[in-house]
Structure formats: C-alpha cells, structure tokens
Amino acid sequence: MKFHSRKILLLFLSVFFAISSIAQDVRSVDPKTMPESDVKKIEEAIRNAGLSPTEAANMARQRGASEQQIRDMQQRLQQSIANRDTIMQTQKTDSLQRQKGDQLSERKVQVKDTLRVFGSSLFNNENLTFEPSINIQTPKNYEIGIGDQIIINIWGNSQNNYQLTVNKSGQILIPDVGPIYIAGMTFENAETKIKQRLTEIYADMGSDNPQTFAQINMGRLRSINVNIVGEVTAPGTYTLPVTATAFNALYLSGGPNEIGSFRNINIIRDDEIFKTIDIYKFLIDADVAENVRLKDEDIILIPPTEKQVAVSGEFKRKGLFEVKEDERLNDVIRFAGGFTSDAYWTNLKIYRKNIGGKSIIDVPFHEAESALILNGDSIFSGQTVKIFKNRVTISGAVFRPGEYEWKENMTLKDLIFKADSLKGNAFLNRAIITRLNSDSTRRTLSFDLNPILSGENTILLNPEDSVQIKSLLDLKQTPYISVTGEVLEPGDFHFAENTTLADAIFMAGGFTEAADSSFIEVSRRLSYEEAAELSDEMVHIFTFDLSRDLKFNEGDANFTLKPFDRVSVRRAPAFRENASVMVRGEVKYAGIFAIQNKHQRISDLVEMAGGLTPQSFLDGATFSRVSEELGSEFIAIDLNKILQNPGGNEDLLLRDGDILEIPEQMQTVKITGSVQNPFSITYQEGKSLKYYIDKSGGFSSDALKRKVYVRYPNGATSSTKSFIVKNYPEVLPGSQIVVPAKPEREGITTQTWLSIASTFSSIAVALAAVLR
C-alpha cells in the first residue's frame, strides 16, 4: 500500500507540472488525451524536483485539480510504468532467446557455385539465405508446446510479472490460480484462457471499468530436432527454432547433392509422408505452399533423382533439369525459361543415348506437348540463320542511307526514291552496285546516274544488292586554308569561295600585338598544269600590306585565296616582350630590373642595383639562366674580373629570366667524400688543400687521391694536376673539397682465364707450325 500511495501523490505532482507548462486553467487539462511524450517528461520532472508526495498532492489540489483528473492521471502514469516494465521484460526475453539461439544448429556447408542442376543455387548462394530466425513475431495461430515460455505482465491497481514454462504435462502454473493446460492450443486461444483464469485473483480485470490489466506474450520458444537423410549435402540431425520451415532445414544442410531430387522431397511425420515438396514450384511459380512449417522429430528424406535432362543452345536457362514421369518436352521448355530471341524454335533436337550408341530426334515445336523425355536426354535449340532474303542497301549521297525491303521488279530508281532522293552534291558520272553471285562471290556493276534519273536506262535490283553513290566532296581532298604566325588563333580553316586575305586573318582571330601587318606572305601550290612539268619552282609567293584593324575596303576583293593557300604573318622586327632580370643578395637595391636594351650586361645590373654592400663576397657570386634547350642552368662567373673589366668577354649580355646572386662573406671550407671525417672547418688563409684533408682525419683507404677536386662558391671547379708530384688546386673561402672513391675492380672470372689460356694455346700452335 505504501508503494500505491506514493504513486497517487506523484501523480498530483505530475498534474502540477503539466498544468504549469501547458495550461493556465487546471480544469482544462485532460490526462486521457495527454501525449505520451508529455507523460514521460512529467515523470522525469518529478524525479528531479525531489518533493515529498504530500507536498505534491497539496500543490495539485491548490491549482484546482479534480478527483476525476487525479484518477485519470493515475491510470496514465501506471500505464506508462507498465509499458516500461514490458519493454524491459521483452529485452530480457530477447536475451534468453539469443542464449537459446546459440544452441541451434548452424550452417557449416561451403557455398558451391559449380553445380549445374537447376535449383542447386537456391541453397548455395551468398546473396540468398534461408537462415532460420528466432526473432520473428509469434503468429496468433502458433501452436503452443512443451518447453515454450509464457510471459504475463499485470499492471494497474495491481502489479505483477510471471515467467512461466509449459511443463511436461502441457500446463503452466500461476501462483494463487493453479495449473492451466494450454499445450496444443493456438496462442490466441491460450491468451483468452489465461486472462479468464486471472480474474480469479484480479476481480476488477473482468469488470466493465477495469483498473487492472494483463498483457500476455510468448517468451523463449522451444527448439525442435529435425533429421535430414538421403541424398543431401550434409545429412544429420539439426536443432532448429520451432518456427523453422522446410527451406530453413534444407539451407542448413546445403540442400540436395549432385544426384539428390529437387522434385520429390518427402517430409515424414508420425511414420507417414506428411508432405512431398517440389522446389521447382517455388522457383518457377513462387508457390510458398511448398515451404511447410516443421515439427519436432520430423524427417526430411531426399531420394535420388529419377530423370534428368540437359538443356543447351538458345534457351534462357541452361543446365540439368529434373523431370517427373508425367512431364513432357514443353514442361522442360518452361523450366528453362523459354527461348532466347535468337532461337530457331520451329524445330528442336533431342540427343538420346541408346544401348548401341546415340540417336538424334527432330521434334517440331507443335509436338513438344506430347514429346516424351527419357533420362539422360539432351535438348538443343539452334540459332536462326542470320541471312536476309529481301534486303537491299544504299549508302553515300542520299538523304536516308540504309537497308530497305526488296520487292519483285524493284529498280535502282525505286530504291533512290525510297532513300528520299539524291543530295545536291551527289556525283552523277559514276556509281556502283555490289551484287552477290550464285556461288556467294561478289561482282561490281558500274553505271551513270544521269540516264537512270531521266528514265533512259533502267536497272533491276536483286536481293542483297548494295548501291554506293559518292558525293563530290568524297572524291576530292577537303580544301582548307592555313594561317600561321602572329595571329591569335592560328590553324587550318575550311575553304570557301571568295575568301580574301583579310577574311583569313579575321577567321584566325586577328593580329597579335607582335604582328607586322605590312609584310604578310601567302604561299600557293603549283597548278595541275605547272606541277606536270619538271621545274625548280615549288610554290608561288605573294606578299601584302594590310591594315591592322582589318577594316573593310574596296581592295579586299582584289586578292582572293585558293584552296590550300598558306598565310604567314611575320613578327615585327623590333618587337620584344618585356624582359627582366633579378639580382639577390649583397647589393644596395636587390630585386627585379627591366632590360632596357640588348647591350646591357652583368656589370650594368650591379650598377642598376646601386652597387655592392661591404659584406658582399664576389668570389661566391652565382649566375643562373633559363634556356629552352637545357632548362634552368648555372653559369660559373668571376664577378671580380667582370667588375674590373666591364664589357669584357666574361661580362655576359643579359637575357630575360637571368638571376645574379651575390652572397655575404663566407668563412668555411667543406670536405666531403672518401676522408676519415667529412665536415666543414674554418677557412685559413694561405693553407693548402692537404691542410684541410689532414684536419678531416686524412684520406680513407679507398680515396682516389689523384682525382681530388675543389668546387668553388661560384660553381667553377679545379682538379688535381699530377706529374711526378701531385699539385692540388687552391682553396678559397666557401669552397668544397671533394675526394672521390676508387672504382670497384671486377675480379677475373674463370671464363676470362679460359679465354686467355685458349688464346695462348692458339699462338703456340701457330708458332709450332711456322717453325716446322
């Protein structure tokens, strides 16, 4: 009672919170129509407020809540709590079902995609599964059996939960009610019977205005054992959920094997054949009646197939098909999905095995309904012959080229008009017909189109004739004019009559800023007559002076272009793009400078940059240039000599993109290569190369001493000179001393020694011969 009292008082607080948030007048609130989401929010607000039940009740009454509203809200709140308990119980039940499901049989058969028997893919397909499910909704007609679990939830004025299992006597035992026999009953009937018995201890459950309610669900379902024997991929005993069907069991066992029947699968129940399953009815007609529900201790027997036939050729499905005794050829055609669009179905072939060998039977299609099929027969449907019997073809200069129907006494003129007549550019002097001879070879018939069109001549066509009519353009090289040089869009353009030189420049987008419009060259091919005579002349050259704005004037018509003329627009002699060079490092004004004339040199660049800074290191100055042939490259310069002798040979002329870099004073020398300790050390004025080698630990054992060289900061190198004694190059600040390694010597192989011995042997034989 204490729990019940608390619920009532919590209800008052719920009403208080609901009214505070959704209404000004308490009496306008109807708890019966309040959304479930609001009820859940109210419950949460009650828990967070921390008020006592008495305080909650007083607040609700002070706001004017009636007793009827209190009772209605009490029912809504109890209903919400019961629903939450039901969900928790269902989750617990699902957990029990999963635990039970762990004990069920699992498929251990590997998918096989090599079986040719029609129907085998049903149980050997990665994308199709008949795995039995344990989480399906219990159907109303489900027959309750021993081991099933019944869950009963009581809510309202009274609360209780029961988890009951049907015992071996077929009963469930409810405390204070007694045993109820429900085995063999449907779930719907059992639910009604249980509710009737519950009214014995919950009297108001059966009243007209009940305050106590019951909900009955199935919990953990029992499992069944099914034996699968015969010609099955994996025979054995399988533990399945009670809701499993025949296809579930066949899937777990892998289905019939290579010789197992798909048409006569027997389900034996209580020592009798309960059902004979024909899987083809499911595959072809989608008849789900074949997928019967199994019972405990059912036996699935798969016998060997009695009759199989092979289907090949132009059928939609190919492979092996199982045939029953009363089925005929038309049934096999239906199993194979019918014919393809290329099938020659008028006449079918059956290849049959006899005691003495093989025989072939031709079966007209209209006899397929009565044609008998024997075990081992092979049924074949060939392709239709892809030969036209009444086709003529026309191509070329007609408006609708293609294939047309040939008719008796059809003429060439008839075919031309079927193709919507000739195009305006049709070549009329000659056309050809390619005709098929009686021996399947071909011959060509040529004709003049002019008398054909006028009616003076008539040519009858034969089936498979192919008429070819050329256009004037087909027989000539496509004429064009070419515009090159300083125009915005150079290229080849289609030739048209009366095209002038200015028109060609216009089609090429006009002149570029670098173009010299006063010197435009046109080169023209020699005429047919000129080309027929041997001479040294190759083309005709014309030069013109045009206005840069291409303004139309009377003179445009004086020179018209001819096919294949080439127009060349030259660059203006003095035109130059803006060129610039860069200087970086120890100068007064480092940056980019424009090249004003062709005679500016490196010394001029230093002067433009305001001269050198006191920290500049001239020996380390580098100069880089970009060329089309080599890309970016470094050029070794001696800036000291350049500045001492401006305009000399070493003072290079500047080019666009040149970069002069003058570093600050360097104070180290770097030693690399085959030395004991490669590193950089401080430069010592007057010290020789050997001094720096000794500072790095001396030469390594593999050092090639006569090839030691020095790379100076400006990119130049100096190598060791050897004549009696080694003369090492001078070392400057910022230099790098490089000591190369000796190349690895290849050992003399056995083959080399054999070659040497053979050579000496030949010499010895020759000498002996001379002495004799």
Side-chain angles (χ1 to χ4, degrees):
M1 290 301 294
K2 183 178 180 182
F3 176 81
H4 182 67
S5 175
R6 174 179 289 272
K7 285 295 182 184
I8 294 175
L9 295 177
L10 288 176
L11 171 65
F12 298 153
L13 185 58
S14 301
V15 175
F16 167 72
F17 275 100
I19 292 170
S20 300
S21 60
I22 65 176
Q24 297 296 328
D25 186 2
V26 174
R27 289 170 294 180
S28 66
V29 178
D30 186 3
K32 292 182 180 180
T33 60
M34 184 179 294
E36 186 67 27
S37 60
D38 288 345
V39 176
K40 292 181 179 179
K41 291 178 181 178
I42 291 169
E43 291 184 80
E44 184 178 356
I46 291 171
R47 290 192 296 269
N48 295 335
L51 296 175
S52 66
T54 303
E55 292 172 338
N58 290 336
M59 288 182 183
R61 290 192 180 95
Q62 288 174 5
R63 295 301 297 268
S66 65
E67 295 301 323
Q68 182 63 42
Q69 286 175 312
I70 293 174
R71 285 194 297 271
D72 291 341
M73 183 58 74
Q74 176 189 20
Q75 186 174 353
R76 287 298 306 276
L77 186 61
Q78 290 173 339
Q79 197 172 24
S80 177
I81 295 172
N83 289 340
R84 188 166 62 251
D85 293 342
T86 301
I87 293 173
M88 294 176 63
Q89 183 60 44
T90 303
Q91 292 175 347
K92 183 177 180 181
T93 301
D94 290 342
S95 178
L96 292 173
Q97 289 177 342
R98 286 192 294 271
Q99 294 174 8
K100 180 65 176 177
D102 292 340
Q103 302 172 10
L104 300 176
S105 298
E106 296 180 354
R107 176 183 168 99
K108 298 181 180 179
V109 180
Q110 297 295 326
V111 172
K112 299 179 180 179
D113 56 1
T114 57
L115 298 177
R116 295 181 58 235
V117 181
F118 177 67
S120 59
S121 61
L122 185 65
F123 306 113
N124 287 277
N125 192 326
E126 294 181 351
N127 300 319
L128 179 64
T129 176
F130 288 99
E131 188 77 33
S133 176
I134 61 175
N135 294 319
I136 62 174
Q137 182 180 2
T138 305
K140 291 293 185 181
N141 62 351
Y142 172 70
E143 185 178 312
I144 296 176
I146 298 171
D148 283 339
Q149 186 182 57
I150 307 296
I151 298 176
I152 303 173
N153 294 316
I154 307 296
W155 53 277
N157 287 339
S158 300
Q159 291 85 31
N160 214 335
N161 293 307
Y162 302 100
Q163 294 183 19
L164 308 171
T165 302
V166 180
N167 59 28
K168 294 181 180 181
S169 300
Q171 303 169 333
I172 57 172
L173 184 62
I174 302 178
D176 301 325
V177 174
I180 304 176
Y181 188 85
I182 58 173
M185 298 178 65
T186 64
F187 173 71
E188 186 175 20
N189 293 336
E191 182 181 26
T192 302
K193 186 175 182 179
I194 293 171
K195 286 184 176 180
Q196 290 175 351
R197 293 292 302 275
L198 286 173
T199 58
E200 296 178 7
I201 57 174
Y202 303 102
D204 66 337
M205 188 181 295
S207 64
D208 294 336
N209 188 21
Q211 298 298 314
T212 303
F213 307 90
Q215 186 176 25
I216 300 172
N217 296 297
M218 293 298 299
R220 183 180 65 251
L221 301 180
R222 68 186 185 276
S223 60
I224 60 175
N225 290 328
V226 176
N227 298 305
I228 307 178
V229 296
E231 302 302 331
V232 62
T233 303
T237 301
Y238 291 84
T239 302
L240 306 172
V242 69
T243 55
T245 64
F247 283 7
N248 297 146
L250 290 172
Y251 170 78
L252 293 178
S253 65
N257 59 22
E258 289 83 353
I259 63 171
S261 173
F262 286 83
R263 311 286 308 277
N264 296 295
I265 300 176
N266 295 319
I267 296 180
I268 301 173
R269 183 175 295 169
D270 298 330
D271 296 331
E272 295 181 356
I273 297 178
F274 169 74
K275 174 75 174 178
T276 299
I277 297 176
D278 186 350
I279 294 179
Y280 280 21
K281 290 183 179 180
F282 176 79
L283 288 173
I284 297 172
D285 302 324
D287 187 357
V288 295
E290 301 299 301
N291 192 17
V292 298
R293 194 175 301 280
L294 299 174
K295 286 192 173 182
D296 193 31
E297 298 304 326
D298 277 354
I299 299 174
I300 300 178
L301 174 61
I302 303 179
T305 180
E306 295 181 1
K307 188 188 295 186
Q308 274 187 347
V309 295
V311 173
S312 60
E314 296 303 319
F315 290 97
K316 292 180 180 178
R317 300 190 189 104
K318 303 175 182 63
L320 296 176
F321 292 84
E322 185 177 349
V323 182
K324 290 186 176 181
E325 193 62 36
D326 58 343
E327 292 175 336
R328 297 294 184 262
L329 177 58
N330 63 321
D331 295 305
V332 179
I333 295 173
R334 186 171 70 90
F335 297 158
F339 301 99
T340 66
S341 58
D342 294 331
Y344 179 67
W345 51 268
T346 305
N347 193 29
L348 303 174
K349 298 184 184 298
I350 298 177
Y351 296 90
R352 180 163 293 166
K353 298 176 182 178
N354 301 316
I355 296 177
K358 292 184 178 181
S359 61
I360 183 171
I361 304 171
D362 290 330
V363 181
F365 180 72
H366 66 273
E367 296 180 7
E369 189 173 351
S370 59
L372 183 65
I373 298 298
L374 299 182
N375 185 35
D377 281 355
S378 295
I379 302 169
F380 177 79
S381 173
Q383 283 187 340
T384 56
V385 180
K386 297 180 179 180
I387 296 178
F388 289 92
K389 296 181 178 180
N390 63 338
R391 177 181 65 174
V392 287
T393 306
I394 186 169
S395 62
V398 292
F399 284 101
R400 297 189 180 276
E403 299 173 343
Y404 291 91
E405 177 187 5
W406 174 87
K407 294 183 179 180
E408 194 73 31
N409 297 321
M410 185 178 186
T411 66
L412 174 60
K413 189 174 182 180
D414 295 334
L415 178 59
I416 292 174
F417 282 109
K418 273 195 171 187
D420 278 356
S421 192
L422 300 175
K423 291 183 178 180
N425 61 354
F427 181 72
L428 303 180
N429 294 339
R430 180 179 294 272
I432 59 173
I433 297 174
T434 303
R435 177 162 293 175
L436 191 66
N437 296 322
S438 58
D439 60 353
S440 296
T441 60
R442 294 185 180 273
R443 71 179 188 274
T444 298
L445 303 176
S446 59
F447 58 91
D448 187 343
L449 273 170
N450 291 291
I452 296 295
L453 297 176
S454 64
E456 298 177 12
N457 189 13
T458 300
I459 298 178
L460 292 176
L461 296 178
N462 292 345
E464 288 300 293
D465 276 357
S466 178
V467 180
Q468 187 179 29
I469 300 173
K470 294 283 188 179
S471 70
L472 293 172
L473 296 178
D474 292 335
L475 299 175
K476 293 181 179 180
Q477 183 179 356
T478 303
Y480 67 91
I481 55 176
S482 178
V483 182
T484 62
E486 295 300 327
V487 289
L488 293 176
E489 299 175 5
D492 296 336
F493 302 90
H494 290 291
F495 172 79
E497 292 185 4
N498 298 324
T499 300
T500 67
L501 178 60
D503 294 335
I505 301 297
F506 175 79
M507 289 188 291
F511 295 110
T512 66
E513 293 298 323
D516 183 1
S517 63
S518 64
F519 184 72
I520 299 175
E521 179 185 276
V522 177
S523 61
R524 178 170 293 171
R525 291 181 178 180
L526 300 179
S527 64
Y528 295 131
E529 295 78 9
E530 292 172 329
E533 299 292 336
L534 287 174
S535 68
D536 294 334
E537 190 174 15
M538 299 176 63
V539 294
H540 297 297
I541 301 295
F542 308 90
T543 58
F544 299 91
D545 182 357
L546 285 184
S547 171
R548 287 190 66 87
D549 57 9
L550 299 179
K551 187 176 180 179
F552 184 83
N553 57 64
E554 295 291 337
D556 276 357
N558 293 336
F559 185 82
T560 57
L561 299 177
K562 291 186 177 181
F564 311 110
D565 278 357
R566 182 181 297 274
V567 179
S568 299
V569 181
R570 308 298 184 190
R571 177 182 284 259
F575 180 84
R576 294 290 185 275
E577 297 287 350
N578 288 337
S580 61
V581 292
M582 177 184 288
V583 59
R584 295 190 297 222
E586 296 303 318
V587 291
K588 190 174 182 180
Y589 302 108
I592 298 175
F593 297 88
I595 301 176
Q596 185 176 4
N597 57 64
K598 297 181 179 181
H599 307 293
Q600 287 184 301
R601 299 174 179 268
I602 295 176
S603 59
D604 298 321
L605 178 58
V606 175
E607 184 179 351
M608 287 188 291
L612 304 171
T613 67
Q615 293 80 24
S616 60
F617 181 54
L618 299 186
D619 290 336
T622 59
F623 189 76
S624 61
R625 172 169 290 175
V626 177
S627 63
E628 294 182 359
E629 300 81 9
L630 301 175
S632 180
E633 59 175 334
F634 281 97
I635 301 174
I637 62 172
D638 188 339
L639 192 56
N640 274 306
K641 290 183 179 180
I642 290 173
L643 297 180
Q644 291 172 5
N645 184 24
N649 292 335
E650 295 191 13
D651 193 6
L652 301 177
L653 294 171
L654 297 178
R655 289 171 52 177
D656 185 33
D658 286 351
I659 299 174
L660 174 64
E661 187 161 359
I662 304 173
E664 63 181 355
Q665 192 68 36
M666 297 182 179
Q667 298 177 331
T668 61
V669 175
K670 186 176 182 179
I671 304 97
T672 61
S674 295
V675 292
Q676 299 293 343
N677 183 25
F679 74 122
S680 296
I681 61 177
T682 304
Y683 171 75
Q684 298 294 328
E685 187 174 357
K687 296 295 184 182
S688 66
L689 181 144
K690 193 66 172 61
Y691 165 81
Y692 296 102
I693 296 293
D694 293 340
K695 286 292 184 179
S696 64
F699 292 110
S700 299
S701 58
D702 62 342
L704 188 59
K705 301 176 183 178
R706 57 188 176 85
K707 292 294 184 180
V708 175
Y709 65 92
V710 175
R711 181 184 294 120
Y712 296 109
N714 65 349
T717 58
S718 179
S719 58
T720 301
K721 305 295 189 299
S722 298
F723 183 74
I724 302 175
V725 294
K726 293 183 179 65
N727 186 14
Y728 292 116
E730 181 185 6
V731 179
L732 299 176
S735 298
Q736 179 182 357
I737 301 172
V738 182
V739 181
K742 296 177 182 177
E744 294 184 2
R745 292 185 178 181
E746 295 183 0
I748 301 178
T749 63
T750 304
Q751 186 66 31
T752 304
W753 283 115
L754 291 175
S755 299
I756 294 172
S758 177
T759 301
F760 279 108
S761 176
S762 300
I763 294 173
V765 171
L767 290 174
V770 171
L771 292 174
R772 284 198 299 271

